[in-house]
Amino acid sequence: MNMKRFIVLCFVAISFFASAQDYEPEVKYTGEGKITMMDGKELTGELTYSFVSIRNLIFVAPGAEKEKIKTNDIKEFTISGTRFVRIVTTAISIGKDWEFAICLTPENSKISIFESINQTGVETGSGYKTERGYFIKFPNDEKAKSLTDLSFTPFHKKVSKIIADCQALSEKIANKAEGYKLGLISTPQQQFDVFMKVATEYQDCK
C-alpha cells in the first residue's frame, strides 16, 4: 500500500468516528420561543421539539390548545434562546436532503457552525442510539459541510484559501500558527475548537 493511499484511508477512518455515537436519553427542548414558517409567517408561544420525533414541533399559542406543526413547513425556530436552523448538508442521507440543527454561532455570523443530533431506534435502558456531528457553512456556500469533509484537507492550504479575504486570519492558518492548525489526525474537539475560532475571528475581520 503506497503512502498516499494509506493517508486517505486513515482520514476516512477518522472521519467515520468523528461523529460521536452513543446512547443518550431523549434530547428534548421545551420553552418559550418563535417559529418562522417557510412562507415567512411567524408564530410565538411555548414550543417543544424532540430529536426523537423530528417530524413535528409541538406549539401552544397563548390561550390556545396544543397543536402539532409539521417541520416540513418550518424554516427555523428558537426555544429559550437556542436556535434551530434548517440546513442542507453534503452528507449522504436517505429520504431527505435537509435537517434541523442547532446553530452554535450568532444569528448574524458570516460563518455558521451547527450541531446535528440524530436519535434513532428503540429506547433502551441507556436511551436512544444517538449520533452527534458538527457542520460548517462558509460565506457563499449552498450546503453545510462536516468538519471532517475532505475538501478541508490539508487544513492550512484549503481553509486559508476559503477565507483569503481576511488576510490576517488566512496567514495564521497558512502558517500553521498555534491554535489555527489541524493535522490529519485530530480529535472532534480539536476540530470544533479550531473551526469555531476561525468563525469567530472571521466575523471581526475588517
Side-chain angles (χ1 to χ4, degrees), residues 17-198:
F17 290 106
S19 294
Q21 211 173 70
D22 205 344
Y23 281 84
E24 298 181 23
E26 178 182 14
V27 179
K28 179 187 290 187
Y29 288 78
T30 299
E32 294 297 314
K34 181 177 74 173
I35 304 171
T36 301
M37 306 297 289
M38 293 298 289
D39 62 6
K41 181 180 179 181
E42 295 185 346
L43 305 172
T44 57
E46 183 172 318
L47 311 180
T48 298
Y49 182 70
S50 166
F51 281 99
V52 173
S53 305
I54 61 175
R55 295 180 182 274
N56 297 291
L57 179 68
I58 305 301
F59 171 65
V60 183
E65 295 292 323
K66 178 173 66 175
E67 64 176 301
K68 291 183 179 180
I69 298 179
K70 294 181 179 180
T71 50
N72 281 340
D73 301 326
I74 298 173
K75 180 180 180 182
E76 65 176 73
F77 57 95
T78 302
I79 301 177
S80 299
T82 299
R83 183 170 170 242
F84 300 79
V85 179
R86 175 193 289 252
I87 64 170
V88 178
T89 73
T90 57
I92 297 175
S93 61
I94 299 175
K96 66 174 183 177
D97 60 0
W98 62 271
E99 64 179 291
F100 274 109
I102 299 172
C103 189
L104 302 176
T105 44
E107 188 170 353
N108 65 343
S109 293
K110 300 172 186 175
I111 297 175
S112 297
I113 295 179
F114 308 92
E115 180 181 19
S116 166
I117 302 175
N118 291 296
Q119 292 195 294
T120 58
V122 178
E123 184 178 15
T124 69
S126 301
Y128 294 89
K129 184 177 180 181
T130 304
E131 182 178 1
R132 292 174 181 262
Y134 295 92
F135 292 82
I136 188 167
K137 189 174 182 182
F138 285 98
N140 302 318
D141 279 351
E142 292 184 3
K143 297 182 178 181
K145 295 180 179 179
S146 168
L147 301 190
T148 63
D149 196 286
L150 285 172
S151 65
F152 299 141
T153 304
F155 183 83
H156 70 289
K157 290 184 178 180
K158 297 296 183 66
V159 178
S160 63
K161 290 182 179 179
I162 294 174
I163 48 85
D165 56 324
C166 183
Q167 185 176 355
L169 177 58
S170 180
E171 289 179 355
K172 289 179 184 178
I173 296 171
N175 295 327
K176 301 182 181 181
E178 190 63 35
Y180 297 86
K181 60 182 178 180
L182 284 175
L184 183 63
I185 300 177
S186 301
T187 68
Q189 187 62 54
Q190 288 172 330
Q191 293 167 349
F192 177 82
D193 290 344
V194 172
F195 275 105
M196 183 61 79
K197 180 177 286 189
V198 170

Side-chain angles (χ1 to χ4, degrees), residues 4-22:
K4 184 176 181 180
R5 179 175 174 77
F6 175 76
I7 291 174
V8 170
L9 288 175
C10 285
F11 189 84
V12 170
I14 293 165
S15 299
F16 180 79
F17 290 106
S19 294
Q21 211 173 70
D22 205 344

